[in-house]
Amino acid sequence: CIVIEDSMVGLRAAVSAGMKCLITYTPSTASEDFYGEGAAAKVPELAVGVTIESLFKNGAPLDDIAAALRDPR
């Protein structure tokens, strides 16, 4: 399971549940420390090319989700 969230509250809930979380941030949240709070990846929007193949392989979440698309840490 991978959670797609746009807020720190949602990220914290996903991490607390033991799930990987992909963050789509907004201009007002771009400077928040999503990686420090446990985000697996963050992108400005899903339209940057996030696909099922960039998140899953053989039905399981990739260890390094959205690796080619995500913003640097």
Side-chain angles (χ1 to χ4, degrees):
C1 179
I2 294 176
V3 175
I4 299 174
E5 261 301 336
D6 66 351
S7 71
M8 192 64 78
V9 171
L11 169 61
R12 288 178 181 145
V15 170
S16 291
M19 296 182 221
K20 289 187 176 189
C21 186
L22 171 68
I23 288 290
T24 59
Y25 59 88
T26 64
S28 65
T29 62
S31 64
E32 291 191 32
D33 187 14
F34 291 113
Y35 287 124
E37 291 287 332
K42 73 175 190 174
V43 295
E45 59 184 52
L46 295 177
V48 298
V50 175
T51 63
I52 295 297
E53 291 78 21
S54 70
L55 302 175
F56 295 93
K57 182 175 184 176
N58 298 325
L62 292 168
D63 288 334
D64 201 13
I65 67 171
L69 307 169
R70 67 183 186 195
D71 285 2
R73 295 182 187 254

